[in-house]
PDB file of all heavy atoms in Angstrom:
ATOM      1  N   VAL B 248      -7.119   8.983   2.725  1.00 98.00           N
ATOM      2  CA  VAL B 248      -7.582   9.216   4.079  1.00 98.00           C
ATOM      3  C   VAL B 248      -6.849  10.432   4.632  1.00 98.00           C
ATOM      4  O   VAL B 248      -5.648  10.373   4.899  1.00 98.00           O
ATOM      5  CB  VAL B 248      -7.332   7.994   4.987  1.00 98.00           C
ATOM      6  CG1 VAL B 248      -7.689   8.319   6.431  1.00 98.00           C
ATOM      7  CG2 VAL B 248      -8.132   6.799   4.504  1.00 98.00           C
ATOM      8  N   PRO B 249      -7.542  11.564   4.767  1.00 97.00           N
ATOM      9  CA  PRO B 249      -6.921  12.739   5.400  1.00 97.00           C
ATOM     10  C   PRO B 249      -7.294  12.776   6.883  1.00 97.00           C
ATOM     11  O   PRO B 249      -8.460  12.568   7.235  1.00 97.00           O
ATOM     12  CB  PRO B 249      -7.587  13.902   4.635  1.00 97.00           C
ATOM     13  CG  PRO B 249      -8.923  13.365   4.225  1.00 97.00           C
ATOM     14  CD  PRO B 249      -8.821  11.872   4.148  1.00 97.00           C
ATOM     15  N   VAL B 250      -6.317  13.031   7.720  1.00 98.00           N
ATOM     16  CA  VAL B 250      -6.566  13.139   9.160  1.00 98.00           C
ATOM     17  C   VAL B 250      -5.696  14.239   9.730  1.00 98.00           C
ATOM     18  O   VAL B 250      -4.676  14.606   9.144  1.00 98.00           O
ATOM     19  CB  VAL B 250      -6.266  11.823   9.913  1.00 98.00           C
ATOM     20  CG1 VAL B 250      -7.218  10.717   9.484  1.00 98.00           C
ATOM     21  CG2 VAL B 250      -4.833  11.402   9.710  1.00 98.00           C
ATOM     22  N   PHE B 251      -6.096  14.744  10.899  1.00 97.00           N
ATOM     23  CA  PHE B 251      -5.275  15.729  11.579  1.00 97.00           C
ATOM     24  C   PHE B 251      -4.264  15.027  12.478  1.00 97.00           C
ATOM     25  O   PHE B 251      -4.481  13.912  12.972  1.00 97.00           O
ATOM     26  CB  PHE B 251      -6.146  16.680  12.393  1.00 97.00           C
ATOM     27  CG  PHE B 251      -6.900  17.663  11.538  1.00 97.00           C
ATOM     28  CD1 PHE B 251      -8.258  17.495  11.305  1.00 97.00           C
ATOM     29  CD2 PHE B 251      -6.244  18.741  10.959  1.00 97.00           C
ATOM     30  CE1 PHE B 251      -8.952  18.395  10.510  1.00 97.00           C
ATOM     31  CE2 PHE B 251      -6.937  19.643  10.162  1.00 97.00           C
ATOM     32  CZ  PHE B 251      -8.296  19.462   9.936  1.00 97.00           C
ATOM     33  N   GLU B 252      -3.162  15.719  12.699  1.00 97.00           N
ATOM     34  CA  GLU B 252      -2.105  15.185  13.561  1.00 97.00           C
ATOM     35  C   GLU B 252      -2.667  14.860  14.950  1.00 97.00           C
ATOM     36  O   GLU B 252      -3.525  15.576  15.470  1.00 97.00           O
ATOM     37  CB  GLU B 252      -0.980  16.215  13.672  1.00 97.00           C
ATOM     38  CG  GLU B 252       0.297  15.699  14.289  1.00 97.00           C
ATOM     39  CD  GLU B 252       1.431  16.712  14.231  1.00 97.00           C
ATOM     40  OE1 GLU B 252       1.138  17.906  14.033  1.00 97.00           O
ATOM     41  OE2 GLU B 252       2.594  16.292  14.365  1.00 97.00           O
ATOM     42  N   GLU B 253      -2.210  13.745  15.513  1.00 97.00           N
ATOM     43  CA  GLU B 253      -2.581  13.215  16.828  1.00 97.00           C
ATOM     44  C   GLU B 253      -3.964  12.569  16.847  1.00 97.00           C
ATOM     45  O   GLU B 253      -4.380  12.058  17.889  1.00 97.00           O
ATOM     46  CB  GLU B 253      -2.478  14.284  17.923  1.00 97.00           C
ATOM     47  CG  GLU B 253      -1.054  14.811  18.096  1.00 97.00           C
ATOM     48  CD  GLU B 253      -0.943  15.818  19.227  1.00 97.00           C
ATOM     49  OE1 GLU B 253      -1.940  16.027  19.936  1.00 97.00           O
ATOM     50  OE2 GLU B 253       0.145  16.385  19.401  1.00 97.00           O
ATOM     51  N   ALA B 254      -4.651  12.539  15.737  1.00 98.00           N
ATOM     52  CA  ALA B 254      -5.931  11.837  15.659  1.00 98.00           C
ATOM     53  C   ALA B 254      -5.684  10.364  15.387  1.00 98.00           C
ATOM     54  O   ALA B 254      -4.621   9.987  14.856  1.00 98.00           O
ATOM     55  CB  ALA B 254      -6.797  12.434  14.553  1.00 98.00           C
ATOM     56  N   PRO B 255      -6.653   9.494  15.734  1.00 98.00           N
ATOM     57  CA  PRO B 255      -6.528   8.074  15.388  1.00 98.00           C
ATOM     58  C   PRO B 255      -6.861   7.848  13.917  1.00 98.00           C
ATOM     59  O   PRO B 255      -7.564   8.641  13.298  1.00 98.00           O
ATOM     60  CB  PRO B 255      -7.561   7.403  16.291  1.00 98.00           C
ATOM     61  CG  PRO B 255      -8.606   8.457  16.484  1.00 98.00           C
ATOM     62  CD  PRO B 255      -7.873   9.769  16.489  1.00 98.00           C
ATOM     63  N   VAL B 256      -6.372   6.737  13.377  1.00 98.00           N
ATOM     64  CA  VAL B 256      -6.658   6.442  11.981  1.00 98.00           C
ATOM     65  C   VAL B 256      -6.855   4.937  11.799  1.00 98.00           C
ATOM     66  O   VAL B 256      -6.259   4.126  12.522  1.00 98.00           O
ATOM     67  CB  VAL B 256      -5.529   6.939  11.055  1.00 98.00           C
ATOM     68  CG1 VAL B 256      -4.253   6.119  11.232  1.00 98.00           C
ATOM     69  CG2 VAL B 256      -5.971   6.908   9.587  1.00 98.00           C
ATOM     70  N   GLU B 257      -7.722   4.580  10.849  1.00 98.00           N
ATOM     71  CA  GLU B 257      -7.903   3.184  10.456  1.00 98.00           C
ATOM     72  C   GLU B 257      -7.894   3.122   8.936  1.00 98.00           C
ATOM     73  O   GLU B 257      -8.657   3.833   8.275  1.00 98.00           O
ATOM     74  CB  GLU B 257      -9.213   2.617  10.999  1.00 98.00           C
ATOM     75  CG  GLU B 257      -9.439   1.162  10.552  1.00 98.00           C
ATOM     76  CD  GLU B 257     -10.739   0.578  11.090  1.00 98.00           C
ATOM     77  OE1 GLU B 257     -11.801   0.901  10.507  1.00 98.00           O
ATOM     78  OE2 GLU B 257     -10.696  -0.196  12.062  1.00 98.00           O
ATOM     79  N   LEU B 258      -7.053   2.274   8.396  1.00 98.00           N
ATOM     80  CA  LEU B 258      -7.002   2.014   6.963  1.00 98.00           C
ATOM     81  C   LEU B 258      -7.549   0.613   6.742  1.00 98.00           C
ATOM     82  O   LEU B 258      -7.048  -0.355   7.315  1.00 98.00           O
ATOM     83  CB  LEU B 258      -5.571   2.125   6.437  1.00 98.00           C
ATOM     84  CG  LEU B 258      -4.825   3.422   6.756  1.00 98.00           C
ATOM     85  CD1 LEU B 258      -3.453   3.421   6.087  1.00 98.00           C
ATOM     86  CD2 LEU B 258      -5.618   4.642   6.354  1.00 98.00           C
ATOM     87  N   PHE B 300       2.043   1.221  14.617  1.00 97.00           N
ATOM     88  CA  PHE B 300       0.900   0.661  13.894  1.00 97.00           C
ATOM     89  C   PHE B 300       0.559  -0.746  14.402  1.00 97.00           C
ATOM     90  O   PHE B 300       1.427  -1.471  14.864  1.00 97.00           O
ATOM     91  CB  PHE B 300       1.188   0.595  12.391  1.00 97.00           C
ATOM     92  CG  PHE B 300       1.098   1.922  11.695  1.00 97.00           C
ATOM     93  CD1 PHE B 300       2.222   2.726  11.543  1.00 97.00           C
ATOM     94  CD2 PHE B 300      -0.114   2.379  11.194  1.00 97.00           C
ATOM     95  CE1 PHE B 300       2.147   3.956  10.915  1.00 97.00           C
ATOM     96  CE2 PHE B 300      -0.205   3.603  10.552  1.00 97.00           C
ATOM     97  CZ  PHE B 300       0.932   4.397  10.408  1.00 97.00           C
ATOM     98  N   LEU B 313      -5.713  -1.769   9.344  1.00 98.00           N
ATOM     99  CA  LEU B 313      -4.533  -1.173   9.978  1.00 98.00           C
ATOM    100  C   LEU B 313      -4.965   0.018  10.830  1.00 98.00           C
ATOM    101  O   LEU B 313      -5.780   0.839  10.377  1.00 98.00           O
ATOM    102  CB  LEU B 313      -3.546  -0.705   8.897  1.00 98.00           C
ATOM    103  CG  LEU B 313      -2.238  -0.075   9.356  1.00 98.00           C
ATOM    104  CD1 LEU B 313      -1.326  -1.135   9.991  1.00 98.00           C
ATOM    105  CD2 LEU B 313      -1.514   0.588   8.176  1.00 98.00           C
ATOM    106  N   ARG B 314      -4.389   0.141  12.033  1.00 98.00           N
ATOM    107  CA  ARG B 314      -4.790   1.219  12.931  1.00 98.00           C
ATOM    108  C   ARG B 314      -3.582   1.860  13.594  1.00 98.00           C
ATOM    109  O   ARG B 314      -2.527   1.236  13.747  1.00 98.00           O
ATOM    110  CB  ARG B 314      -5.721   0.701  14.034  1.00 98.00           C
ATOM    111  CG  ARG B 314      -6.987   0.043  13.536  1.00 98.00           C
ATOM    112  CD  ARG B 314      -7.887  -0.354  14.695  1.00 98.00           C
ATOM    113  NE  ARG B 314      -9.085  -1.036  14.224  1.00 98.00           N
ATOM    114  CZ  ARG B 314      -9.247  -2.351  14.253  1.00 98.00           C
ATOM    115  NH1 ARG B 314      -8.289  -3.130  14.729  1.00 98.00           N
ATOM    116  NH2 ARG B 314     -10.355  -2.890  13.783  1.00 98.00           N
ATOM    117  N   LYS B 315      -3.769   3.124  13.957  1.00 98.00           N
ATOM    118  CA  LYS B 315      -2.780   3.800  14.792  1.00 98.00           C
ATOM    119  C   LYS B 315      -3.537   4.787  15.668  1.00 98.00           C
ATOM    120  O   LYS B 315      -4.371   5.555  15.151  1.00 98.00           O
ATOM    121  CB  LYS B 315      -1.728   4.527  13.948  1.00 98.00           C
ATOM    122  CG  LYS B 315      -0.598   5.135  14.790  1.00 98.00           C
ATOM    123  CD  LYS B 315       0.549   5.630  13.946  1.00 98.00           C
ATOM    124  CE  LYS B 315       1.665   6.165  14.842  1.00 98.00           C
ATOM    125  NZ  LYS B 315       2.849   6.623  14.070  1.00 98.00           N
ATOM    126  N   PRO B 316      -3.308   4.778  16.975  1.00 97.00           N
ATOM    127  CA  PRO B 316      -4.100   5.604  17.884  1.00 97.00           C
ATOM    128  C   PRO B 316      -3.820   7.101  17.759  1.00 97.00           C
ATOM    129  O   PRO B 316      -4.699   7.906  18.064  1.00 97.00           O
ATOM    130  CB  PRO B 316      -3.723   5.095  19.274  1.00 97.00           C
ATOM    131  CG  PRO B 316      -2.425   4.389  19.092  1.00 97.00           C
ATOM    132  CD  PRO B 316      -2.381   3.889  17.705  1.00 97.00           C
ATOM    133  N   SER B 317      -2.621   7.471  17.302  1.00 97.00           N
ATOM    134  CA  SER B 317      -2.281   8.892  17.223  1.00 97.00           C
ATOM    135  C   SER B 317      -1.230   9.067  16.115  1.00 97.00           C
ATOM    136  O   SER B 317      -0.110   8.573  16.252  1.00 97.00           O
ATOM    137  CB  SER B 317      -1.728   9.378  18.574  1.00 97.00           C
ATOM    138  OG  SER B 317      -1.305  10.725  18.480  1.00 97.00           O
ATOM    139  N   VAL B 318      -1.608   9.739  15.052  1.00 97.00           N
ATOM    140  CA  VAL B 318      -0.706   9.822  13.901  1.00 97.00           C
ATOM    141  C   VAL B 318       0.152  11.081  13.964  1.00 97.00           C
ATOM    142  O   VAL B 318      -0.206  12.085  14.602  1.00 97.00           O
ATOM    143  CB  VAL B 318      -1.468   9.795  12.559  1.00 97.00           C
ATOM    144  CG1 VAL B 318      -2.142   8.440  12.365  1.00 97.00           C
ATOM    145  CG2 VAL B 318      -2.486  10.933  12.464  1.00 97.00           C
ATOM    146  N   HIS B 319       1.285  11.004  13.264  1.00 97.00           N
ATOM    147  CA  HIS B 319       2.204  12.130  13.155  1.00 97.00           C
ATOM    148  C   HIS B 319       2.309  12.569  11.707  1.00 97.00           C
ATOM    149  O   HIS B 319       1.977  11.810  10.789  1.00 97.00           O
ATOM    150  CB  HIS B 319       3.588  11.721  13.673  1.00 97.00           C
ATOM    151  CG  HIS B 319       3.576  11.232  15.085  1.00 97.00           C
ATOM    152  ND1 HIS B 319       3.349  12.045  16.162  1.00 97.00           N
ATOM    153  CD2 HIS B 319       3.743   9.984  15.581  1.00 97.00           C
ATOM    154  CE1 HIS B 319       3.386  11.319  17.273  1.00 97.00           C
ATOM    155  NE2 HIS B 319       3.614  10.069  16.957  1.00 97.00           N
ATOM    156  N   ASP B 322       3.854  10.239   9.259  1.00 97.00           N
ATOM    157  CA  ASP B 322       3.129   9.049   8.784  1.00 97.00           C
ATOM    158  C   ASP B 322       2.502   9.259   7.420  1.00 97.00           C
ATOM    159  O   ASP B 322       1.954   8.311   6.837  1.00 97.00           O
ATOM    160  CB  ASP B 322       2.033   8.662   9.786  1.00 97.00           C
ATOM    161  CG  ASP B 322       2.590   8.167  11.111  1.00 97.00           C
ATOM    162  OD1 ASP B 322       3.627   7.463  11.092  1.00 97.00           O
ATOM    163  OD2 ASP B 322       1.993   8.483  12.163  1.00 97.00           O
ATOM    164  N   LEU B 347      -2.440   8.126   2.949  1.00 97.00           N
ATOM    165  CA  LEU B 347      -2.699   8.753   4.242  1.00 97.00           C
ATOM    166  C   LEU B 347      -2.015  10.112   4.263  1.00 97.00           C
ATOM    167  O   LEU B 347      -0.808  10.206   4.064  1.00 97.00           O
ATOM    168  CB  LEU B 347      -2.168   7.884   5.386  1.00 97.00           C
ATOM    169  CG  LEU B 347      -2.247   8.497   6.786  1.00 97.00           C
ATOM    170  CD1 LEU B 347      -3.707   8.713   7.191  1.00 97.00           C
ATOM    171  CD2 LEU B 347      -1.528   7.623   7.814  1.00 97.00           C
ATOM    172  N   VAL B 349      -1.526  13.350   6.707  1.00 97.00           N
ATOM    173  CA  VAL B 349      -1.678  13.866   8.058  1.00 97.00           C
ATOM    174  C   VAL B 349      -1.460  15.367   8.025  1.00 97.00           C
ATOM    175  O   VAL B 349      -0.400  15.843   7.607  1.00 97.00           O
ATOM    176  CB  VAL B 349      -0.684  13.200   9.032  1.00 97.00           C
ATOM    177  CG1 VAL B 349      -0.888  13.742  10.444  1.00 97.00           C
ATOM    178  CG2 VAL B 349      -0.846  11.684   8.996  1.00 97.00           C
TER     179      VAL B 349
END
Side-chain angles (χ1 to χ4, degrees):
Chain B
V248 174
V250 295
F251 286 104
E252 192 173 18
E253 298 183 5
V256 70
E257 178 180 79
L258 307 184
F300 284 92
L313 181 70
R314 302 184 182 101
K315 186 170 182 178
S317 176
V318 294
H319 302 290
D322 293 322
L347 174 64
V349 181

